Amino acid sequence: NAGVTQTPKFRVLKTGQSMTLLCAQDMNHEYMYWYRQDPGMGLRLIHYSVGEGTTAKGEVPDGYNVSRLKKQNFLLGLESAAPSQTSVYFCASSPLAGGPNEQYFGPGTRLTVT
Amino acid sequence: AQKITQTQPGMFVQEKEAVTLDCTYDTSDPSYGLFWYKQPSSGEMIFLIYQGSYDQQNATEGRYSLNFQKARKSANLVISASQLGDSAMYFCAMREIYNQGGKLIFGQGTELSVKP
């Protein structure tokens, strides 16, 4: 049982390049989330999904796209990377949306855009 | 709009002493949940404790307890008998029960350093 995994762990991009971050969970969770963490700002929600085939915008969605074609996978895409997207990206999943159900986090992906 | 505020960017505590990390929140939803996560230097996010807005008692999990004062909209984390391994960033987060998707709103975090 690996929990939530993220690929890759580190990446350096040049401005304008594109990439996809992969999140996978093996807990059969319905809900999945992408956050970014910047110094002094905590975690901010980029996009989320309430089930296979669904996605929705979070607090800071601009410049990102997501897809959830399979229940266990949630992909985050950057079509044209910008230095402002330098951050640590966390994926999380949760079985239910309410109550004491915490979100389970992946180990993070450190992205640098030069 | 819902908001979480952690006013202590950094805190120091002596090993074996107790420490309180502050968290205040703002919401108009009568039903919500409050979470605390720990982020050690290795980077992973570790769930510590949960408090529901209708819970009558303060939540406790081992050395962690949540001092929940609903009228003051505060949900402070108390760590008893601090250990060197408690040195980490601590994040308070809130989820309004009826928000779509169970989204968490995080505070800015408090960096705790435990001195030997």
Side-chain angles (χ1 to χ4, degrees):
Chain A
N1 191 335
V4 181
T5 58
Q6 292 182 232
T7 309
K9 288 185 169 55
F10 303 93
R11 186 71 186 268
V12 178
L13 285 180
K14 293 185 177 179
T15 298
Q17 287 185 322
S18 63
M19 77 164 294
T20 300
L21 306 183
L22 170 63
C23 175
Q25 53 95 3
D26 61 3
M27 297 174 283
N28 201 35
H29 286 173
E30 289 293 334
Y31 299 84
M32 296 188 74
Y33 311 85
W34 275 107
Y35 294 90
R36 60 177 288 173
Q37 182 180 19
D38 302 296
M41 299 188 73
L43 278 75
R44 293 181 293 168
L45 183 66
I46 305 171
H47 285 281
Y48 65 100
S49 169
V50 300
E52 181 179 317
T54 73
T55 63
K57 294 180 180 180
E59 183 185 357
V60 289
D62 294 343
Y64 306 95
N65 57 74
V66 288
S67 65
R68 185 126 179 245
L69 299 179
K70 294 183 179 180
K71 186 177 184 178
Q72 63 268 33
N73 295 338
F74 195 27
L75 279 63
L76 178 70
L78 287 73
E79 291 185 347
S80 180
S84 60
Q85 294 177 304
T86 293
S87 189
V88 180
Y89 292 85
F90 285 97
C91 176
S93 71
S94 179
L96 295 170
N101 296 284
E102 77 266 25
Q103 292 182 10
Y104 296 78
F105 282 82
T109 294
R110 186 173 294 275
L111 175 65
T112 302
V113 183
T114 62
Chain B
Q2 54 179 310
K3 186 179 177 181
I4 293 282
T5 303
Q6 295 179 252
T7 57
Q8 307 154 312
M11 290 278 288
F12 289 92
V13 65
Q14 205 69 34
E15 192 179 8
K16 300 181 184 178
E17 291 185 348
V19 62
T20 298
L21 307 183
D22 294 342
C23 172
T24 58
Y25 60 91
D26 186 23
T27 179
S28 56
D29 195 322
S31 298
Y32 51 89
L34 296 154
F35 299 78
W36 278 91
Y37 281 85
K38 171 184 179 182
Q39 186 179 42
S41 58
S42 51
E44 71 268 33
M45 296 288 287
I46 302 168
F47 166 72
L48 295 178
I49 195 167
Y50 166 85
Q51 178 84 44
S53 59
Y54 290 118
D55 292 343
Q56 294 297 314
Q57 293 188 322
N58 287 343
T60 61
E61 289 287 348
R63 294 187 299 110
Y64 304 108
S65 60
L66 205 152
N67 184 0
F68 181 48
Q69 298 187 41
K70 195 171 181 177
R72 302 175 90 175
K73 293 190 174 179
S74 74
N76 299 338
L77 178 70
V78 180
I79 304 175
S80 63
S82 296
Q83 301 172 356
L84 296 178
D86 293 334
S87 293
M89 283 289 290
Y90 289 81
F91 291 97
C92 180
M94 178 176 66
R95 177 174 64 208
E96 293 174 340
I97 298 300
Y98 297 110
N99 85 38
Q100 186 181 15
K103 297 169 286 186
L104 288 177
I105 301 295
F106 283 85
Q108 309 93 312
T110 294
E111 184 170 11
L112 177 66
S113 298
V114 181
K115 296 180 176 180

